[in-house]
Amino acid sequence: MLFTLVPNKYKKWCTLFGGFLIQISLGLFMTFGNMLPYLTSYLRVYKQIDIRYTQTVWIATLYGISFSLSNLLCGLLTSTFKIRPKINILFGGLILTTSLFLTFLTIKTSFFLIILTFGILFGFGSGFAYVAPLSIAMKWFPKNSGFSTSTILLGYGLSSVFLNPIETVYINPNNLSPDLPYSLEYPDEKYFSNKELLERVPRIFIILGVITAGLQLIGLSLLAEKTGRLELEIVNEIEEETESLIEPVKNEQINSLGIQYENPNDGLTLNQAIKTPIFWIFFLKIFTQMVPCGLIVNFYKTYGQTFIADDKFLSLIGSMASIFNGMGTFLWGFLIDRFPYKICFLILSTLLVSISSTIYLVQYLNVNIVYGIYVGLVNLCQSGIYVLMPTTFVKTFGAKNFQAIYGALFMSTLLSSFVVAELGSQSVNFGWAWLFLTSGFIALF
């Protein structure tokens, strides 16, 4: 393991970097919005399967469902059988990478099998490995859990910055735009017809599989779990620094949200947590905020193609959105370590409602970069959900059963995935304006 080569006093920073690399690989699905037109065009034009964008979005829906379920399963297994977090990462990463290699084969066969490999299997692997790097890092930074969470999740947010250009440059090096209308009735719904472009679509999954496997192996080897033995070694090397590492975090017996436990390193069980009103308030908060995020993140390119005829620019929007996502992880991490949760969430939800309610009007400005900024701000809000929630959960319910409680709360994204898929499938019937307004109203709730 690479972390054994690092001096003990730097192992916590080594762990942050390892978690960062792992999250880059898990964040691959953040590029789904970029891949959606290529994947759908391949199935529709090259394989002659009667399918539309409104149907292929169910890949993302099944990914979200599988991600949520595996997150919960991982938490339950960890709390019940005391499985090491690095085992969870190894198992989840293996499934995730295998699913990409299998998609190279299934995309040539049927849409159902693509849902199975790129949706369900990929989501299961991602969910199983998602929380473990966060839980390892939080033990190194007990007083700054917002900082450790935001640093690691920066990798998830920046994933598209690295992977979107790889996908676009390989599949569409000549910057072709979709040119084949669905029908005379829907002339704005277009698909790629270039044979050479479509033939490259399956091979991108081999490339992505190799990249994610490398990131996971390096990241896993850099993670250093803070065990009692390692703490003792650090004490022997740097006594004054260790005091701040192993000093118990002082905490009142009843925290600001009314949850009672004696020590922040202890905490509630999942059964105790689900009996508290605050658990279900958090559940609803995640659900309502993930609907507009999921709709815009998954359909930004499909909707953007209706008024922007530049595929590379739309791909660039995805990369730019990832930069917003990455900046957001630090922004929200900074805010949650210094301000009350309610203030942070009020800022996030106000921004999200404003954007989702007005994004449809951007096309009338004829300034494409504004659309990119809008999509970027939605990604910034999405990163806020992923940073604010786990940081608040561990402060609210305690660290002992964090993975199980976080997994249960993340089941709310299962419901939001269904809503996003249903809204997306109705785009041809009701139009994008009503869909965005509906998602904004849900967020307002």
Side-chain angles (χ1 to χ4, degrees), residues 303 307-308 355 358-375:
Y303 168 63
F307 62 95
I308 299 176
I355 294 169
T358 59
I359 191 171
Y360 184 77
L361 302 176
V362 173
Q363 61 179 307
Y364 300 111
L365 298 177
N366 292 321
V367 182
N368 292 345
I369 192 64
V370 176
Y371 181 63
I373 293 173
Y374 261 66
V375 176

Side-chain angles (χ1 to χ4, degrees), residues 155-169:
Y156 194 92
L158 292 181
S159 181
S160 298
V161 174
F162 305 112
L163 299 179
N164 261 354
I166 293 174
E167 294 170 352
T168 303
V169 170

Side-chain angles (χ1 to χ4, degrees), residues 151-202:
T151 301
I152 289 179
L153 290 181
L154 176 65
Y156 194 92
L158 292 181
S159 181
S160 298
V161 174
F162 305 112
L163 299 179
N164 261 354
I166 293 174
E167 294 170 352
T168 303
V169 170
Y170 179 76
I171 296 175
N172 190 10
N174 298 318
N175 194 26
L176 301 176
S177 294
D179 58 332
L180 186 64
Y182 173 74
S183 66
L184 294 176
E185 187 179 357
Y186 301 104
D188 292 332
E189 183 182 339
K190 296 181 180 180
Y191 300 86
F192 291 98
S193 65
N194 184 273
K195 183 179 179 180
E196 293 181 355
L197 181 152
L198 297 177
E199 286 176 343
R200 287 190 285 266
V201 174

Side-chain angles (χ1 to χ4, degrees), residues 150-264:
S150 60
T151 301
I152 289 179
L153 290 181
L154 176 65
Y156 194 92
L158 292 181
S159 181
S160 298
V161 174
F162 305 112
L163 299 179
N164 261 354
I166 293 174
E167 294 170 352
T168 303
V169 170
Y170 179 76
I171 296 175
N172 190 10
N174 298 318
N175 194 26
L176 301 176
S177 294
D179 58 332
L180 186 64
Y182 173 74
S183 66
L184 294 176
E185 187 179 357
Y186 301 104
D188 292 332
E189 183 182 339
K190 296 181 180 180
Y191 300 86
F192 291 98
S193 65
N194 184 273
K195 183 179 179 180
E196 293 181 355
L197 181 152
L198 297 177
E199 286 176 343
R200 287 190 285 266
V201 174
R203 294 195 292 269
I204 192 63
F205 290 99
I206 296 292
I207 296 172
L208 295 174
V210 172
I211 292 172
T212 55
L215 289 170
Q216 288 161 14
L217 287 174
I218 296 173
L220 188 62
S221 66
L222 288 172
L223 291 180
E225 294 183 79
K226 190 181 179 185
T227 61
R229 179 180 177 182
L230 184 55
E231 283 189 10
L232 183 60
E233 291 177 3
I234 297 174
V235 168
N236 293 333
E237 289 185 11
I238 353 174
E239 185 177 352
E240 66 280 0
E241 182 177 307
T242 312
E243 291 178 359
S244 65
L245 284 176
I246 64 175
E247 180 185 358
V249 181
K250 296 179 181 179
N251 197 53
E252 295 181 357
Q253 196 172 24
I254 299 179
N255 63 27
S256 61
L257 291 171
I259 307 300
Q260 181 174 350
Y261 54 88
E262 294 181 357
N263 189 306

